[in-house]
């Protein structure tokens, strides 16, 4: 019953549908009492040899009217109750979706996608069924069952009613027991389903790795094991399910047996008419559904409750990063300051960054370099407030990032991450993702800046080509350039390129960065790069190692420091030399080799 209390807010919200729906259900239950009564009148009339055409016609007409009325009313209560239940499903799904969009990446790291999908589909459905079929079975089993028993006792014979009801407690007991077993087994079946769901999802998104490592057979075997498990668990549910029908039939059979045995005696000694006995057996038949419904009800309510609890506990997870009260809503702008003593990820033991102090004046370009894992991305994520550092450690325009609303902060920043993502949509829509109202001219302009325009024109349908999961496959470099175009279209105050040109060749990278410098004059740009040529022009370059700044300065200054940076620059020049296989370009590269090593 608790689930009905928990859902009370919804019943109140939809009170018109529920009051009307339940009202109509009551009328139908009342009408159902009528046909057996007509049968009784007719049987008794036949038996007493008093049946006239007029009598028969009158009652048959009433029977037909009752039948048609029930037909219409049943349609209406279904629409009313199930319609409301569908609205509940929609509302919960909407809440979950909105909630998911508010959560930080940490939330998603800690949960399996398959489980989140299961909450948004199976659990929502279970609650919806409770609010629809659950309410129906509850009202129907109580009202119809009660009315039928009352009619049997009041209109026919309370003695026979008591006798006929003797087996019923067994029915209630059996149904309750089975329901409990069903529920336990059902939970296991659900868990097995969740596992197989995750497996499929993992294997499909990781199909390239599976193939590259020749793991198809092993994965097939493990899938087969999981799928056998699903079958086994579902069969164990079916085993209990299969007990329901036969048990109910047996118990109802005993009830009929007793009714006919005792009823025959009562008819013979004149306590009741044949018509009444017939009416009684018809009512008995009508009792089967409410009894069954009562059994289903425990099941439906248990499932609904478990699902509703899961949904609620998911909705109760507070977003770990959200807007402060009175946060600044004007888009962030101004100089960027990191004044970070240390930052450690919640699950990590060692700090990802420590003692990072840097100021990037408005309009300047900051380059960040360092080995993989040195903390470059973490620095950007702190600025984006995807993760939260100590209060006041990162600020824009003198205001700490946590004092801005998330939308004020993020609308000011264009972030091109390492792992770009294309949606299943056209190229045009992918570029215009952050500004769907952008004109074709604007989209083309940023595509040119990102040096991807020519590539797009070469595709058969140009800007209308579908990409992503359902469309054409683009190369890594093309995807990166599309992501850059996407960020440029926003013309953000602050642009972050997080190793976003790694798959683009050096020449194209240089061209892109050159046009970026012109395009973004006066606006702040942060660039992390592996290829150091990409950040040569930065106003300041930070070299990170294990989360600490080990060198800093302009390109020139760093070369003079003769440290990691200078060594890396030389190494990369030599590498590019080898790539080009000597030749004119190679000579040119040698000529450009930093001379500080002599
Ligand atoms: P980079 O961008 O330079 O490759 P990152 O900023 O991604 O480096 O990582 C810096 C350090 O933080 C690494 O040691 C990495 O293992 C750790 N790290 C990154 N993300 C997380 C996370 N979500 N939880 C715990 N540790 C993390």
């Amino acid at each position: 019953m608790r689930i009905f209390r928990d859902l009370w807010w919804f019943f109140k919200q939809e009170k018109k549908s529920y009051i009307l729906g339940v009202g109509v259900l009551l009328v139908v239950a009342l009408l159902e009492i009528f046909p057996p009564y007509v049968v009784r009148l007719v049987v008794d009339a036949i038996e007493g040899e008093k049946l006239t055409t007029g009598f028969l016609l009158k009652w048959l007409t009433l029977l037909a009217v009752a039948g048609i009325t029930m037909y219409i009313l049943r349609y209406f209560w279904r629409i009313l109750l199930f319609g409301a239940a569908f609205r509940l499903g929609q509302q919960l799904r909407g809440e979950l979706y909105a909630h998911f969009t508010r959560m930080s990446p940490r939330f998603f790291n800690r949960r399996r996608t398959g489980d989140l999908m299961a909450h948004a589909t199976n659990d929502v459905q279970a609650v919806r069924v409770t609010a629809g079929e659950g309410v129906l079975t509850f009202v129907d089993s109580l009202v119809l069952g009660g009315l039928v028993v009352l009619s049997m006792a009041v209109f026919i014979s309370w003695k026979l009613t008591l006798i006929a009801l003797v087996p019923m407690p067994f029915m209630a007991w059996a149904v309750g027991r089975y329901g409990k077993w069903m529920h336990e087994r059902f939970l296991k079946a659900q868990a097995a389903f969740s596992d197989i769901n995750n497996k499929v999802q993992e294997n499909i998104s990781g199909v390239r790795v599976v193939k590259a490592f020749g793991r198809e057979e092993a994965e097939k075997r493990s899938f087969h094991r999981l799928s056998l498990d699903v079958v086994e668990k579902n069969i164990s549910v079916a085993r209990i399910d299969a007990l329901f029908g036969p048990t109910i039939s047996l118990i109802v059979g005993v009830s009929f047996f007793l009714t006919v045995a005792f009823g025959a005696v009562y008819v013979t000694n004149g306590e009741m008419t044949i018509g009444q006995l017939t009416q009684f057996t018809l009512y008995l038949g009508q009792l089967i559904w409410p009894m069954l419904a009562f059994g289903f009800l425990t099941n439906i309510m248990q499932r609904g409750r478990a699902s509703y609890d899961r949904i609620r506990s998911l909705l109760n997870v507070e977003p770990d990063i959200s807007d402060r009260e009175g946060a600044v809503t004007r888009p962030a702008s101004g100089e960027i300051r990191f004044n970070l003593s240390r930052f450690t990820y919640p699950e990590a033991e060692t700090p990802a960054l420590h003692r990072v102090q840097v100021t990037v004046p408005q309009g300047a370009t900051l380059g960040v370099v360092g080995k993989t894992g040195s903390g470059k991305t973490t620095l950007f994520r702190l600025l984006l407030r995807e993760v939260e550092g100590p209060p006041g450690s990162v600020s824009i325009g003198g205001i700490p990032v946590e004092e801005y609303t998330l939308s004020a902060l993020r609308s000011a920043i264009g972030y091109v991450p390492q792992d770009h993502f294309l949606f299943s949509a056209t190229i045009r829509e992918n570029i215009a993702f952050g500004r769907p109202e952008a004109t074709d001219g604007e989209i083309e302009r940023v595509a040119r800046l990102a040096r991807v325009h020519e590539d797009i024109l070469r595709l058969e349908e140009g800007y209308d080509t579908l990409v992503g999961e359902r469309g054409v496959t683009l190369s890594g470099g093309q995807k990166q350039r599309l992501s850059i175009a996407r960020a440029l279209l926003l013309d953000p105050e602050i642009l972050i390129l997080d190793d976003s040109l790694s798959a683009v060749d050096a020449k194209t990278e240089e061209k892109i960065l050159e046009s970026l410098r012109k395009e973004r004059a006066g606006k702040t740009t942060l660039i992390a790069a592996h290829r150091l040529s990409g950040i040569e022009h930065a106003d300041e370059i930070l070299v990170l190692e294990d989360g600490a700044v080990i060198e800093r300065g302009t390109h020139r200054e760093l070369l003079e420091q003769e440290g990691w940076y200078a060594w890396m620059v030389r190494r990369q020049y030599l590498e590019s030399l080898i790539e080009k296989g000597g030749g004119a370009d190679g000579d040119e590269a040698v000529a450009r080799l930093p001379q500080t090593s002599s």
Side-chain angles (χ1 to χ4, degrees):
M1 283 307 127
R2 209 192 77 203
I3 178 67
F4 284 156
R5 229 178 37 224
D6 287 347
L7 286 177
W8 200 249
W9 63 269
F10 178 73
F11 298 146
K12 254 178 30 204
Q13 180 187 314
E14 291 277 341
K15 65 176 174 281
K16 236 166 71 195
S17 297
Y18 276 100
I19 291 177
L20 257 176
V22 169
V24 173
L25 210 56
L26 291 180
V27 177
V28 174
L30 273 173
L31 281 174
E32 281 194 63
I33 302 297
F34 182 65
Y37 174 68
V38 175
V39 175
R40 162 196 170 169
L41 290 182
V42 175
V43 169
D44 279 344
I46 295 171
E47 212 241 347
E49 293 179 0
K50 284 186 290 203
L51 187 70
T52 60
T53 319
F55 178 87
L56 190 61
L57 271 182
K58 174 183 144 201
W59 286 106
L60 283 182
T61 313
L62 285 174
L63 203 57
V65 171
I68 293 169
T69 314
M70 280 196 279
Y71 168 82
I72 297 170
L73 292 183
R74 280 195 177 118
Y75 170 80
F76 278 111
W77 71 244
R78 275 186 170 77
I79 298 280
L80 286 166
L81 289 187
F82 295 164
F86 276 115
R87 283 193 288 278
L88 174 64
Q90 185 210 14
Q91 194 171 337
L92 287 180
R93 220 174 287 124
E95 272 179 46
L96 276 176
Y97 189 78
H99 191 65
F100 289 161
T101 57
R102 275 201 303 273
M103 299 319 265
S104 69
R106 195 170 148 220
F107 173 86
F108 296 98
N109 286 344
R110 282 200 312 227
R111 284 174 181 79
R112 303 194 300 182
T113 314
D115 290 347
L116 294 178
M117 308 263 285
H119 291 310
T121 51
N122 293 356
D123 282 340
V124 168
Q125 183 179 339
V127 177
R128 194 203 80 209
V129 167
T130 308
E133 277 93 331
V135 172
L136 156 71
T137 32
F138 180 69
V139 176
D140 224 17
S141 59
L142 282 189
V143 174
L144 184 61
L147 271 179
V148 169
V149 172
L150 211 68
S151 312
M152 287 159 91
V154 175
F155 299 133
I156 307 171
S157 153
W158 61 267
K159 264 195 295 182
L160 196 58
T161 307
L162 282 183
I163 293 169
L165 289 184
V166 165
M168 291 307 171
F170 293 102
M171 172 115 95
W173 175 81
V175 165
R177 199 77 293 234
Y178 295 163
K180 192 160 169 287
W181 287 338
M182 275 276 276
H183 183 64
E184 287 162 5
R185 295 177 180 209
F186 177 75
L187 286 185
K188 288 190 186 144
Q190 279 285 73
F193 182 70
S194 187
D195 286 343
I196 204 166
N197 240 349
N198 270 303
K199 182 89 195 163
V200 171
Q201 212 217 335
E202 234 172 65
N203 274 355
I204 289 181
S205 42
V207 69
R208 285 196 199 88
V209 180
V210 172
K211 283 190 176 293
F213 281 77
R215 294 281 300 169
E216 291 98 326
E217 281 310 313
E219 287 299 308
K220 241 177 8 200
R221 274 197 302 277
S222 99
F223 178 81
H224 187 65
R225 261 200 313 279
L226 285 179
S227 111
L228 275 184
D229 191 44
V230 170
V231 171
E232 239 168 60
K233 303 245 158 85
N234 275 300
I235 288 181
S236 87
V237 172
R239 275 205 195 96
I240 300 292
D241 201 22
L243 274 175
F244 265 103
T247 309
I248 306 286
S249 303
L250 183 71
I251 294 173
V252 171
V254 174
S255 211
F256 269 105
F257 180 87
L258 294 174
T259 302
V260 176
F262 285 85
V265 177
Y266 293 150
V267 171
T268 330
N269 62 25
E271 272 184 61
M272 60 164 59
T273 64
I274 297 184
Q276 279 179 313
L277 182 59
T278 318
Q279 183 188 7
F280 194 92
T281 52
L282 286 176
Y283 281 149
L284 207 53
Q286 281 185 345
L287 262 189
I288 300 176
W289 157 245
M291 285 287 164
L292 267 179
F294 205 71
F296 295 145
L297 188 63
T298 28
N299 227 317
I300 291 177
M301 297 220 296
Q302 266 172 359
R303 267 186 226 180
R305 209 178 92 185
S307 289
Y308 193 64
D309 285 349
R310 272 198 295 271
I311 294 176
R312 282 256 77 93
S313 73
L314 200 62
L315 286 177
N316 282 338
V317 179
E318 289 285 332
D320 44 5
I321 293 174
S322 56
D323 291 347
R324 300 267 159 93
E325 226 166 275
V328 179
T329 50
R330 122 182 84 81
S333 101
E335 70 168 24
I336 300 172
R337 268 179 94 102
F338 289 94
N339 187 0
L340 193 70
S341 49
R342 66 169 51 217
F343 169 75
T344 313
Y345 279 101
E347 292 89 4
E349 280 165 15
T350 50
L353 285 175
H354 46 98
R355 270 189 279 135
V356 179
Q357 265 124 15
V358 61
T359 305
V360 189
Q362 183 165 19
T365 299
L366 177 76
V368 188
V369 295
K371 292 187 208 123
T372 306
S374 56
K376 304 182 291 290
T377 302
T378 307
L379 197 67
F380 299 149
R381 293 181 68 194
L382 282 166
L383 183 64
L384 280 160
R385 216 173 149 225
E386 269 189 19
V387 291
E388 231 169 4
S393 53
V394 186
S395 62
I396 302 176
I399 302 173
V401 285
E402 60 272 14
E403 300 292 334
Y404 286 104
T405 62
L406 284 172
S407 75
L409 183 67
R410 295 188 184 158
S411 64
I413 306 176
Y415 180 49
V416 188
Q418 281 165 337
D419 43 355
H420 34 73
F421 186 84
L422 293 184
F423 295 90
S424 291
T426 63
I427 291 195
R428 186 194 317 279
E429 287 162 338
N430 263 291
I431 295 180
F433 182 69
R435 250 187 68 203
E437 76 287 354
T439 63
D440 287 356
E442 289 172 306
I443 291 174
E444 218 180 284
R445 201 177 78 84
V446 291
R448 275 181 208 278
L449 282 174
R451 292 284 186 284
V452 68
H453 175 69
E454 305 287 322
D455 295 57
I456 297 173
L457 289 191
R458 249 175 272 131
L459 295 169
E460 218 165 276
E461 291 173 72
Y463 281 85
D464 293 317
T465 310
L466 264 181
V467 290
E469 295 234 311
R470 281 181 289 135
V472 301
T473 315
L474 298 179
S475 75
Q478 286 171 327
K479 284 190 209 163
Q480 288 190 334
R481 283 176 280 149
L482 273 188
S483 308
I484 291 181
R486 184 190 280 166
L488 285 179
L489 186 66
L490 295 175
D491 192 21
E493 269 300 309
I494 300 164
L495 177 69
I496 302 178
L497 301 181
D498 188 355
D499 208 6
S500 349
L501 289 164
S502 55
V504 176
D505 65 86
K507 266 213 168 108
T508 314
E509 177 180 21
E510 211 168 294
K511 282 188 201 147
I512 295 176
L513 289 172
E514 204 185 297
S515 30
L516 274 191
R517 270 196 299 282
K518 282 194 211 124
E519 175 72 15
R520 296 194 49 79
K523 292 205 169 117
T524 316
T525 308
L526 311 185
I527 309 179
H530 266 101
R531 213 184 280 128
L532 301 188
S533 54
I535 48 138
E536 271 176 15
H537 298 280
D539 300 294
E540 179 167 21
I541 298 168
L542 296 186
V543 181
L544 292 180
E545 190 175 284
D546 295 334
V549 180
I550 52 163
E551 291 167 37
R552 67 192 304 163
T554 61
H555 176 69
R556 277 281 139 215
E557 288 162 0
L558 284 172
L559 285 180
E560 276 157 23
Q561 283 179 27
E562 275 300 318
W564 183 88
Y565 185 86
W567 176 79
M568 202 62 188
V569 166
R570 232 167 277 136
R571 190 180 134 166
Q572 289 188 355
Y573 272 133
L574 288 175
E575 273 171 6
S576 69
L577 193 68
I578 294 166
E579 252 170 47
K580 285 171 188 156
D585 276 0
D587 295 342
E588 186 192 322
V590 173
R592 286 177 60 196
L593 253 178
Q595 299 305 312
T596 47
S597 56
S598 53

